[in-house]
Amino acid sequence: MTILSYLNRAFNGFSSSSKILVVFSLSGGGLLAYSESQSNSPSNNVEHERLSNKKKVVVLGTGWASTSFLKDLDISRYDVQVVSPRNYFAFTPLLPSVTCGTVEARSIVEPIRNIIKKKDGEIQFWEAECTKIDAANKKVFCRSVIESSLVGKKEFALDYDYLVVATGAEVNTFNTPGVMEYCHFLKEVEDAQKIRRSVLDCFEKAILPDLTDEERRISLHFVIVGGGPTGVEFAAELHDFVHEDIVKLYPMVKDLVKITLIQSGDHILNTYDSRISSFAEQKFARDGIHVNTGCRVLGVSNKEVNVKVKSTGENVSMPHGMVVWSTGVSTRPVVKDFMDQIGQGKRKVLATDEWLRVKGCENVYAVGDCATIDQRKIMEDIGAIFNAADKDKSGTLTVEEFQEIIDDILIRYPQVGLHLQSKHLLSVTDLLNDPEGNARKEIDIEGFKSALSQVDSQMKSLPATAQVAAQQGTYLSSCFNKRELANFIPEGPRRFKGTGRHDFLPFRYKHLGSFAPLGGEQAAAELPGDWVSVGRSTQWLWYSIYASKQVSWRTRVLVVSDWTRRFIFGRDSSRI
């Protein structure tokens, strides 16, 4: 220690590189290792300053939107922290397959820590639930979801510069009595596992001795409420499970099984093309799946489902063995509390602008099922648009002047393009034609308002699907990666109210198609370009696309191997 202290004093005036050279020359044939902490060296100061200058990004959730955001985010620019009660990402479109053992639960989940590993930095993950968002002080309050007697506090708070809310949504019960107590849901992996166990329980109960046939029929009556994609896919999976696997194990009750699908609308899959809805209803009729459309559930008990038939006004009671509720989503309490803080308390869903920024709150973004995009109406800016195009301030707008701002209008107000398609117009300038369809050389402000008055009727909300959420996450990460560049070279459309241009292009959803597996190795697909495909070939297309969309090679191999196992050995009926 005396020698090292002497060297420290002797070399105090030398630079780091000089110290290394002197030490090695003194060491001769031996090797002397000497180091001194250089906390005040310029390089360390620069590194510390770089880290402290990183903006803090807190992400809530590990679903489709947040995972897509994290995968593409350049984290060398940000200090990123993720909070979620789930430490994995789940491929939710395959949840109906998990309910019947076609695919195992662990085959569709990927640990979030595997996904967020980055070469250029580290993303911190906390397995906790966000209990409150404090927008005024830029904090989120969280509570650990680990139920144990481990020491330490369960609650903590995180500061943020940017907040990305991607908490998803919860099941919408519409305040129907008994739903929370007596229904199964299909929103999480745990839900699918519970359904699988309950299905097997119903069969085990039905074969017990001393039961009447009526009691067995009730135990084997499976009711699905909701004729959307999830409800339809589960009904198809359950039908295949029963008729391909279960009847071999429980032959004594094979004729007592009944599957009923209840839909409040006039058709199932009513968000799809009418050709797909019709095909699905016809196939279910052939398969013996009872589809009750135009029915509203009034209440659920442990024994019955009370239904009102809209056409007759009659109330009907359905005895059941199990009920699965799949009727849409609603806002989570933590998001609802946040909405109350920022003046959105009267809305049902958190609203963002076209850049996914939460309205009424700075530096907070929302993606996925927890939010909806509030597209700005063109009529709100009609005067500003007219003034921007009227360069000579003549009070009238020529076709040439209008053409100069057409591109910015189409980008800023996508409903204009939809309106052109619905009216079968070839050009935006055709909007300026007179009521008889004749071209006009110029138009005044009142005529301009009249020409665009019907455009906003084409505005539509995006569906709460994995496809939308994934595209939003990818888009938002792109904006974060280009934030510094956009300050100097904005890429968005012009600001009609104000000067300059928007920093980024607004989010645009590109529909890549929708699938609906219908059982019996048949599926229906709605593809871009108004194409509809149904049948066995569509099912194989579904297999290939869903395999390719897995987030890792591990889950891709597991899912394909599960499908192969099912083809060879059938589904597993063990109650685990």
Side-chain angles (χ1 to χ4, degrees):
M1 292 299 295
T2 305
I3 296 175
L4 291 178
S5 300
Y6 172 76
L7 291 172
N8 186 33
R9 291 194 301 270
F11 301 152
N12 193 45
F14 288 83
S15 66
S16 297
S17 57
S18 299
K19 293 177 187 179
I20 294 172
L21 289 173
V22 173
V23 170
F24 272 82
S25 63
L26 288 174
S27 65
L31 177 62
L32 176 61
Y34 171 71
S35 65
E36 179 184 359
S37 176
Q38 297 292 324
S39 59
N40 295 323
S41 66
S43 60
N44 285 346
N45 287 339
V46 170
E47 179 67 11
H48 177 74
E49 183 179 354
R50 187 184 70 83
L51 292 174
S52 62
N53 287 337
K54 277 188 173 184
K55 296 289 187 180
K56 294 181 180 179
V57 179
V58 174
V59 181
L60 304 179
T62 51
W64 281 92
S66 54
T67 301
S68 298
F69 173 75
L70 295 168
K71 285 175 64 177
D72 297 325
L73 182 66
D74 180 5
I75 64 170
S76 64
R77 304 168 184 265
Y78 301 100
D79 175 13
V80 185
Q81 300 180 70
V82 183
V83 178
S84 175
R86 300 187 319 188
N87 69 348
Y88 58 85
F89 164 80
F91 192 86
T92 51
L94 285 179
L95 283 180
S97 298
V98 175
T99 61
C100 299
T102 305
V103 172
E104 293 298 325
R106 288 195 176 273
S107 299
I108 67 167
V109 301
E110 181 71 16
I112 194 64
R113 297 183 189 277
N114 289 350
I115 297 175
I116 64 179
K117 287 189 297 187
K118 298 273 188 173
K119 294 181 180 179
D120 54 350
E122 180 183 0
I123 297 177
Q124 299 181 79
F125 172 75
W126 318 115
E127 188 174 353
E129 180 182 16
C130 176
T131 57
K132 186 176 181 62
I133 300 171
D134 185 353
N137 297 306
K138 290 190 173 183
K139 286 180 179 291
V140 291
F141 295 90
C142 310
R143 181 177 60 244
S144 172
V145 296
I146 300 173
E147 299 293 339
S148 70
S149 57
L150 297 176
V151 298
K153 295 181 178 180
K154 297 184 66 173
E155 291 79 17
F156 60 93
L158 299 174
D159 297 318
Y160 66 83
D161 294 303
Y162 301 107
L163 176 65
V164 179
V165 182
T167 56
E170 63 183 16
V171 175
N172 192 350
T173 66
F174 299 97
N175 297 319
T176 305
V179 171
M180 294 299 297
E181 294 84 1
Y182 304 112
C183 291
H184 289 272
F185 306 114
L186 193 46
K187 198 80 174 61
E188 308 286 350
V189 174
E190 295 81 2
D191 297 334
Q193 292 173 314
K194 290 178 182 177
I195 291 174
R196 183 175 179 179
R197 289 191 290 267
S198 294
V199 169
L200 296 173
D201 287 345
C202 289
F203 279 91
E204 293 293 349
K205 177 67 182 297
I207 64 170
L208 291 176
D210 300 330
L211 292 181
T212 65
D213 283 349
E214 182 62 25
E215 289 173 329
R216 291 189 170 97
R217 282 192 179 90
I218 293 174
S219 295
L220 297 178
H221 185 196
F222 302 95
V223 178
I224 300 115
V225 182
T230 302
V232 168
E233 289 179 36
F234 171 66
E237 281 282 353
L238 181 60
H239 175 270
D240 286 356
F241 184 37
V242 169
H243 291 276
E244 294 175 7
D245 301 282
I246 291 292
V247 294
K248 300 175 184 177
L249 305 175
Y250 306 90
M252 66 290 296
V253 294
K254 64 179 182 180
D255 296 327
L256 304 180
V257 180
K258 182 179 180 181
I259 301 173
T260 300
L261 183 64
I262 299 175
Q263 165 70 341
S264 62
D266 295 331
H267 298 280
I268 61 175
L269 297 177
N270 53 14
T271 59
Y272 285 66
D273 188 281
S274 59
R275 291 168 288 181
I276 291 179
S277 296
S278 177
F279 179 82
E281 290 171 355
Q282 293 172 12
K283 185 181 186 307
F284 277 12
R286 293 193 301 270
D287 292 342
I289 298 175
H290 299 262
V291 178
N292 296 349
T293 57
C295 296
R296 183 167 66 90
V297 175
L298 302 177
V300 181
S301 69
N302 61 338
K303 296 181 179 180
E304 294 179 333
V305 179
N306 297 316
V307 177
K308 181 176 182 178
V309 181
K310 295 181 180 179
S311 59
T312 63
E314 180 185 6
N315 291 346
V316 178
S317 294
M318 293 184 182
H320 68 81
M322 189 184 80
V323 181
V324 174
W325 187 273
S326 176
T327 61
V329 295
S330 63
T331 304
R332 294 187 184 275
V334 64
V335 177
K336 192 65 179 174
D337 175 72
F338 174 55
M339 293 167 63
D340 291 335
Q341 294 180 46
I342 61 175
Q344 293 194 27
K346 294 183 179 181
R347 296 184 60 95
K348 293 183 179 180
V349 185
L350 182 64
T352 72
D353 63 13
E354 299 89 333
W355 291 268
L356 308 183
R357 300 173 299 204
V358 173
K359 289 193 167 185
C361 193
E362 186 179 1
N363 294 333
V364 179
Y365 301 81
V367 287
D369 296 355
C370 69
T372 185
I373 297 176
D374 192 6
Q375 174 65 48
R376 189 168 180 83
K377 297 180 179 179
I378 193 171
M379 294 306 294
E380 295 176 349
D381 299 332
I382 194 72
I385 295 172
F386 186 89
N387 292 332
D390 185 18
K391 289 187 175 181
D392 58 5
K393 306 304 177 185
S394 62
T396 59
L397 196 63
T398 65
V399 172
E400 290 75 18
E401 289 176 324
F402 185 53
Q403 285 176 331
E404 291 186 16
I405 63 168
I406 282 177
D407 291 340
D408 290 311
I409 289 177
L410 290 174
I411 294 172
R412 184 67 182 86
Y413 310 97
Q415 60 266 39
V416 174
L418 296 175
H419 182 71
L420 292 177
Q421 294 176 11
S422 67
K423 297 297 182 181
H424 305 289
L425 300 178
L426 300 178
S427 172
V428 182
T429 56
D430 291 341
L431 291 171
L432 303 184
N433 294 345
D434 62 24
E436 287 73 32
N438 300 317
R440 290 186 286 198
K441 294 184 178 180
E442 58 183 25
I443 191 172
D444 61 13
I445 181 63
E446 294 303 322
F448 191 61
K449 290 180 180 179
S450 176
L452 301 179
S453 60
Q454 301 300 317
V455 166
D456 291 326
S457 63
Q458 297 296 322
M459 294 170 57
K460 297 179 181 179
S461 298
L462 296 177
T465 63
Q467 190 175 162
V468 172
Q471 291 187 28
Q472 287 180 341
T474 301
Y475 164 82
L476 189 59
S477 66
S478 174
C479 293
F480 271 67
N481 294 341
K482 297 183 292 185
R483 186 180 297 276
E484 294 180 4
L485 179 63
N487 291 332
F488 303 98
I489 310 175
E491 65 179 19
R494 77 164 69 187
R495 300 177 186 270
F496 290 108
K497 287 188 174 181
T499 59
R501 309 185 74 85
H502 292 277
D503 290 345
F504 306 106
L505 293 171
F507 172 73
R508 289 291 176 269
Y509 169 62
K510 183 178 180 181
H511 186 60
L512 302 178
S514 300
F515 284 90
L518 301 174
E521 293 303 312
Q522 295 192 57
E526 190 177 57
L527 304 174
D530 196 32
W531 286 14
V532 168
S533 176
V534 295
R536 295 183 180 275
S537 59
T538 307
Q539 179 67 36
W540 285 100
L541 178 62
W542 179 86
Y543 282 133
S544 62
I545 290 179
Y546 273 41
S548 67
K549 290 296 182 180
Q550 298 298 313
V551 294
S552 70
W553 274 103
R554 185 189 72 86
T555 56
R556 189 171 294 121
V557 171
L558 288 175
V559 166
V560 172
S561 64
D562 284 347
W563 287 334
T564 305
R565 169 189 52 77
R566 197 268 295 178
F567 274 113
I568 299 174
F569 302 107
R571 300 169 180 84
D572 183 13
S573 60
S574 302
R575 189 192 185 283
I576 299 176

